[in-house]
Amino acid sequence: MYPILVVSIVALAVVLERIFWWLGRWMRRDPKRIEKVFTAIEVGDVTEASRLSRDSRDPVLRMMWNGLNHQHASLQGALQVAAGIEIKRAGRFLVVMDTLVTLAPLLGLLGTIVGLMKAFGSLGNEELAVVTVTGGIAEALIATACGLGIAIFSLIPFNFFTSRVSNLEFELQTAATNLEVMLEAYNKTGAHSEVEIPGTTPSSATRSSI
């Protein structure tokens, strides 16, 4: 029963830690500032977009700030690294929860077998047979119930947190794609303007020479 007790404490601690973490992330979300950043990029004010995304606790804004400040080196690489860090933070302890979901029923089954072995091992003693067999069977049933209870308790939060990580990954990918497209469009527009302006010089010089 002691391994099951340890597993139950670990499961409770992990679930509570993840609940508080996701609550804090929900409070840190700032969709209005994200829209302002995209608006600034759309009008060509990359400096303002970088200022708006600086020192934010929103994971999407942190990723965007990292991309905006490393776009000249490797925009896509900077976005991928920042997104990977955010996803790793969000997926913390999911492996532990997955392990607990599988381990708890196995420990319950092990406790069941041990309890039944004690029960059947005492059948030779007629005086204590009834009490010992009853206690062994009760221990076996308790171990099974505890193992299944821990697995059920861990499974529901595990699936919920996994879905939240998938949603965060989708949000990061969407924001990164939008940022890449908008910056690419802005850079092309700037390059096009630079090409057109020098093109007027030869024509004016030709007219003047004529």
Side-chain angles (χ1 to χ4, degrees), residues 20-202:
F20 285 112
W21 190 89
W22 281 103
L23 285 175
R25 178 190 173 275
W26 179 76
M27 297 176 64
R28 293 192 298 267
R29 291 308 311 272
D30 196 355
K32 293 183 179 180
R33 185 183 292 190
I34 295 175
E35 292 296 329
K36 291 181 180 179
V37 171
F38 282 127
T39 302
I41 297 174
E42 189 175 4
V43 300
D45 195 351
V46 180
T47 304
E48 177 65 13
S50 178
R51 186 191 67 82
L52 288 171
S53 58
R54 186 188 302 119
D55 298 330
S56 176
R57 301 180 65 189
D58 190 312
V60 177
L61 284 171
R62 283 200 297 257
M63 179 198 68
M64 295 174 66
W65 182 86
N66 195 59
L68 289 171
N69 286 270
H70 297 86
Q71 59 174 317
H72 300 294
S74 176
L75 173 62
Q76 186 176 9
L79 291 174
Q80 288 178 352
V81 171
I85 293 174
E86 299 299 337
I87 293 173
K88 185 176 181 180
R89 289 175 180 171
R92 187 183 181 190
F93 295 133
L94 285 183
V95 176
V96 176
M97 295 180 67
D98 189 15
T99 303
L100 293 178
V101 170
T102 306
L103 181 62
L106 295 178
L107 290 177
L109 180 60
L110 178 62
T112 301
I113 295 174
V114 172
L116 292 177
M117 289 175 61
K118 290 182 179 179
F120 286 113
S122 61
L123 290 178
N125 190 345
E126 296 181 356
E127 296 180 358
L128 301 177
V130 176
V131 177
T132 306
V133 169
T134 304
I137 294 176
E139 181 180 347
L141 294 176
I142 292 173
T144 303
C146 291
L148 292 176
I150 296 171
I152 294 171
F153 173 77
S154 303
L155 179 61
I156 297 175
F158 171 73
N159 289 334
F160 175 75
F161 295 142
T162 302
S163 66
R164 299 308 305 168
V165 173
S166 299
N167 291 338
L168 176 61
E169 184 176 2
F170 175 76
E171 292 179 12
L172 292 171
Q173 289 178 351
T174 303
T177 302
N178 290 336
L179 185 63
E180 289 182 25
V181 171
M182 296 180 71
L183 286 177
E184 184 178 358
Y186 167 72
N187 292 330
K188 286 183 177 179
T189 303
H192 182 67
S193 301
E194 292 176 358
V195 170
E196 286 184 348
I197 293 174
T200 59
T201 303

